Amino acid sequence: GRPHTLPLFIERWCHHQRNPAVTMSRPSTYPSRKATLLSILSLLLLSIHHSTSTKLCPPFQRMSRRPSSSATTVAIAATLPRGGAAAKATTASTTVASSSAASSMLSSFLRTIANAKSHLAAAAAARSLSVFVMYPVDTIKTRMQMKQGDAFRMSGLYKGVTGSLVGQVPYGVLTFGSYEIYKQNLLSRFPNVKPAFIYALAAIMGDVTGSGWLCPSEVMKQQLQAGIYPSMSEAIKGIWKKSGFGGFYQGFTGGLARDVPFRVAQLTTFEVTKSLYLRAKQSRSSSDGDDVSLSALEAAICGAAAGSFSAAITNPLDRIKTLMMTDTTNAYGGSVAACASKILKDDGLSGLFAGVVPRVAYIAPSVCIFFVTYEYVQQKVNKSE
């Protein structure tokens, strides 16, 4: 369910930032649910906006960085009530400062989205098409991970696709916008840290932030794929009646346990793959003095390879997440550790890799569909402008 095209999208967006006059088609280079949700809120509040330009900086390369030009940096963490006397001691001035910083951060987020709106629109169209086309493969993977008898049956292959699309598109906007804000603030706070590490950390934090939106749609999607409910409306009513609001965040910790390692593996593998490819391309180049770079197609190929590898090694965590989100009888204990223990007990080590083939098979076609659609829509947008 998690988008596997983030490195490709960032690569293409930053190519445009470096070459604004060139069209995109040209070559270029889980604790309790309440505690987990509060941690997401804290991540947002702790990311302090500084009043420098919101110009996006190219990821995965060294860049010049200037410290924040703000006269004062507000420590948001200090204004958060901790209960008891500390909560009562919160002053009006810190409350105002917190509100001002939050408002400034929201403005930065909205400016980031506005600056990237054509690219986000193209990415939304591309993501929607790739999710829709590859959805049956995702359904088969869910059935295999749940050990259902006839995983390849034709009926119900598109169950839950509407909810998945509703979750995925806003998730992409929220993740990208928060990624940029986290990146800007981390760069200003830690100027001596390698940029590649900052970009990876910002991407992970963006994933965690976006998970607050995505998780409910993932829960409904997987319960529909598993045949627990016959329709989206029945899923909403059934989950609410059984568990209330918290039911829509069932398996949230399992999702984070999968997504953070996946994103780390994906970004790292993408950079390694890209570096090796560029080195080989340089050795074949006739002019040694010229810099070589990735074309859009080459970036897509590297992204597909990185995503496929990352999907394979994180499949055990994906199965844990699937079982936690579809566990309506608490058979798997409600935690990542308890779920992993039961899988090993019931199915052995091989049980952790159930569904690995459709999970890996999902990635490369998904990236290709995303790439072709993204480039097509982006070209149409450029012509219309």
Side-chain angles (χ1 to χ4, degrees), residues 237-267:
K237 288 189 291 185
I239 294 170
W240 179 265
K241 183 177 180 180
K242 182 177 176 61
S243 307
F245 180 76
F248 293 98
Y249 285 88
Q250 178 179 323
F252 185 76
T253 52
L256 288 182
R258 178 201 66 175
D259 295 332
V260 171
F262 175 85
R263 190 64 76 201
V264 171
Q266 182 192 34
L267 293 174

Side-chain angles (χ1 to χ4, degrees), residues 79-91:
T79 69
L80 294 175
R82 288 171 170 80
K88 295 177 183 177
T90 303
T91 63

Side-chain angles (χ1 to χ4, degrees), residues 154-172:
M154 297 301 294
S155 61
L157 285 176
Y158 273 95
K159 263 191 175 182
V161 67
T162 303
S164 181
L165 292 173
V166 169
Q168 289 286 353
V169 175
Y171 166 80

Side-chain angles (χ1 to χ4, degrees), residues 19-82:
N19 306 277
V22 182
T23 64
M24 295 296 290
S25 61
R26 295 274 300 276
S28 82
T29 33
Y30 275 17
S32 69
R33 294 180 186 122
K34 183 182 291 185
T36 309
L37 292 175
L38 286 175
S39 70
I40 296 173
L41 179 60
S42 298
L43 282 172
L44 286 169
L45 292 176
L46 286 168
S47 176
I48 314 302
H49 171 68
H50 55 84
S51 61
T52 54
S53 169
T54 58
K55 181 81 173 176
L56 302 182
C57 22
F60 308 115
Q61 70 177 40
R62 291 198 174 275
M63 53 174 291
S64 60
R65 294 167 293 185
R66 293 176 296 177
S68 170
S69 59
S70 301
T72 306
T73 301
V74 181
I76 295 295
T79 69
L80 294 175
R82 288 171 170 80

Side-chain angles (χ1 to χ4, degrees), residues 54-359:
T54 58
K55 181 81 173 176
L56 302 182
C57 22
F60 308 115
Q61 70 177 40
R62 291 198 174 275
M63 53 174 291
S64 60
R65 294 167 293 185
R66 293 176 296 177
S68 170
S69 59
S70 301
T72 306
T73 301
V74 181
I76 295 295
T79 69
L80 294 175
R82 288 171 170 80
K88 295 177 183 177
T90 303
T91 63
S93 61
T94 56
T95 303
V96 171
S98 175
S99 176
S100 174
S103 175
S104 180
M105 190 167 62
L106 177 60
S107 297
S108 176
F109 177 85
L110 294 176
R111 283 196 300 272
T112 298
I113 299 305
N115 290 338
K117 61 183 179 181
S118 64
H119 305 277
L120 288 170
R127 182 62 189 162
S128 297
L129 184 61
S130 65
V131 167
F132 185 82
V133 172
M134 298 303 297
Y135 194 81
V137 179
D138 189 55
T139 298
I140 291 169
K141 180 210 71 174
T142 298
R143 292 171 177 174
M144 291 178 70
Q145 290 181 336
M146 294 187 68
K147 297 289 186 179
Q148 294 188 355
D150 186 10
F152 292 91
R153 64 184 182 276
M154 297 301 294
S155 61
L157 285 176
Y158 273 95
K159 263 191 175 182
V161 67
T162 303
S164 181
L165 292 173
V166 169
Q168 289 286 353
V169 175
Y171 166 80
V173 174
L174 180 59
T175 300
F176 176 70
S178 58
Y179 159 77
E180 285 298 328
I181 293 174
Y182 289 135
K183 182 180 70 177
Q184 292 166 18
N185 285 278
L186 287 169
L187 286 171
S188 67
R189 284 168 173 247
F190 306 103
N192 297 321
V193 177
K194 290 183 178 180
F197 178 78
I198 294 292
Y199 301 139
L201 180 59
I204 292 167
M205 293 171 70
D207 264 343
V208 173
T209 303
S211 294
W213 171 271
L214 185 65
C215 187
S217 68
E218 281 288 290
V219 171
M220 290 185 288
K221 179 200 80 171
Q222 294 214 282
Q223 294 198 12
L224 283 163
Q225 287 177 326
I228 297 172
Y229 295 104
S231 66
M232 183 65 69
S233 60
E234 289 296 319
I236 294 172
K237 288 189 291 185
I239 294 170
W240 179 265
K241 183 177 180 180
K242 182 177 176 61
S243 307
F245 180 76
F248 293 98
Y249 285 88
Q250 178 179 323
F252 185 76
T253 52
L256 288 182
R258 178 201 66 175
D259 295 332
V260 171
F262 175 85
R263 190 64 76 201
V264 171
Q266 182 192 34
L267 293 174
T268 303
T269 309
F270 180 74
E271 283 305 299
V272 170
T273 304
K274 184 172 73 171
S275 177
L276 292 173
Y277 185 86
L278 288 175
R279 194 177 304 169
K281 191 174 182 180
Q282 178 71 64
S283 67
R284 296 195 304 267
S285 176
S286 56
S287 50
D288 295 336
D290 294 341
D291 290 335
V292 294
S293 55
L294 288 181
S295 69
L297 179 59
E298 289 168 335
I301 293 171
C302 290
S308 298
F309 174 77
S310 303
I313 64 174
T314 57
N315 190 80
L317 298 169
D318 186 63
R319 193 186 180 206
I320 290 171
K321 173 250 186 190
T322 295
L323 294 177
M324 289 180 68
M325 285 189 171
T326 55
D327 183 13
T328 58
T329 61
N330 200 33
Y332 290 93
S335 71
V336 173
C339 185
S341 177
K342 183 166 176 56
I343 292 172
L344 289 171
K345 181 181 178 180
D346 293 347
D347 304 319
L349 190 61
S350 62
L352 293 172
F353 289 91
V356 67
V357 173
R359 176 165 163 79

